[in-house]
Amino acid sequence: GSLETESYDLDSVAKELVGEGKIEVDFGKIMSNIDKNIDLLCKYNLNDTVLTLKLFEKILPNINEMVKLTGMQITEVCRTTFGQLAEQYLMKNIQRFNEVVLNRPNYDSMNYRRMQTYEGGLVLEPEPGIYNDICVVDFRSLFPSIINAYNICPSTLTSDSKNSYESPEINGEKYYFTKRYTGFVPELIKDLIERRIKVKDEIRREGKDA
């Protein structure tokens, strides 16, 4: 998601990250006389291998940081989704809060959850036209910040409506999250947000000093 290229083929990614690209060849001509063009074909394949290695060396530091954060193997970090990375991060750190990891939902439970729907946030469709005095508001880490601000966590759910944060009504039911203590999810999210801000500030400073 951080790449500017719209294509994720080796040539496009390598040009953006390492400033080099694939060797352009006419495979029709090569295959019509493979013996005569064997050297060019070997050079083409070798260049692809070198580009792949350079890309790996370029992104390896980021992958290693994800391994440290989540405790996952490097092969898993490269293939998993952002949601799974977040889940693994929570499980890796949950012991600090004396909490127990819940069992994964079984097949029937997952199907039942998929069938349950609720109304999401209000989205207004813009009307085409020219507007004056436009104001753009960008909330930093909106959803994580909401979780952190209202202490939303399985460990903070309570039936006591006093000294609690009250959720909007969802399918006719409201939920309450205690204010008496901080849940492990908001605490870990707060740590991630602070780390993210720190890293962005460091990147911005290095960019100015370069």
Side-chain angles (χ1 to χ4, degrees), residues 52-119:
T52 303
L53 176 61
K54 289 183 177 181
L55 284 173
F56 175 73
E57 292 173 341
K58 179 76 173 182
I59 66 176
L60 182 59
N62 289 347
I63 295 175
N64 283 335
E65 289 303 313
M66 293 302 298
V67 169
K68 294 176 186 177
L69 281 173
T70 64
M72 301 172 71
Q73 295 181 3
I74 189 171
T75 53
E76 295 175 332
V77 167
C78 294
R79 300 179 181 182
T80 192
T81 64
F82 287 116
Q84 290 170 327
L85 288 172
E87 183 181 77
Q88 190 65 32
Y89 177 77
L90 291 174
M91 290 193 293
K92 180 177 182 290
N93 291 277
I94 199 172
Q95 59 182 348
R96 289 165 39 195
F97 303 88
N98 198 31
E99 294 283 350
V100 177
V101 178
L102 300 177
N103 291 331
R104 287 183 178 274
N106 58 33
Y107 180 78
D108 292 336
S109 178
M110 291 177 65
N111 281 338
Y112 175 78
R113 293 185 185 186
R114 292 190 182 102
M115 297 298 294
Q116 306 304 306
T117 61
Y118 55 89
E119 185 177 355

Side-chain angles (χ1 to χ4, degrees), residues 3-64:
L3 293 175
E4 295 182 1
T5 178
E6 296 181 357
S7 174
Y8 293 99
D9 59 78
L10 179 60
D11 184 62
S12 300
V13 175
K15 284 179 178 177
E16 179 171 339
L17 293 184
V18 299
E20 300 177 32
K22 291 168 63 72
I23 297 175
E24 295 185 7
V25 297
D26 187 335
F27 279 101
K29 293 182 178 180
I30 288 180
M31 301 310 294
S32 64
N33 193 341
I34 188 69
D35 293 333
K36 183 179 179 181
N37 295 292
I38 190 66
D39 289 344
L40 178 58
L41 187 60
C42 290
K43 183 178 179 181
Y44 175 85
N45 289 327
L46 177 61
N47 184 70
D48 278 7
T49 304
V50 172
L51 287 179
T52 303
L53 176 61
K54 289 183 177 181
L55 284 173
F56 175 73
E57 292 173 341
K58 179 76 173 182
I59 66 176
L60 182 59
N62 289 347
I63 295 175
N64 283 335

Side-chain angles (χ1 to χ4, degrees), residues 156-175:
T156 60
L157 272 171
T158 178
S159 58
D160 182 11
S161 60
K162 296 181 180 180
N163 297 316
S164 300
Y165 296 103
E166 180 181 312
S167 78
E169 191 172 289
I170 303 175
N171 291 340
E173 187 174 358
K174 289 188 176 183
Y175 298 89

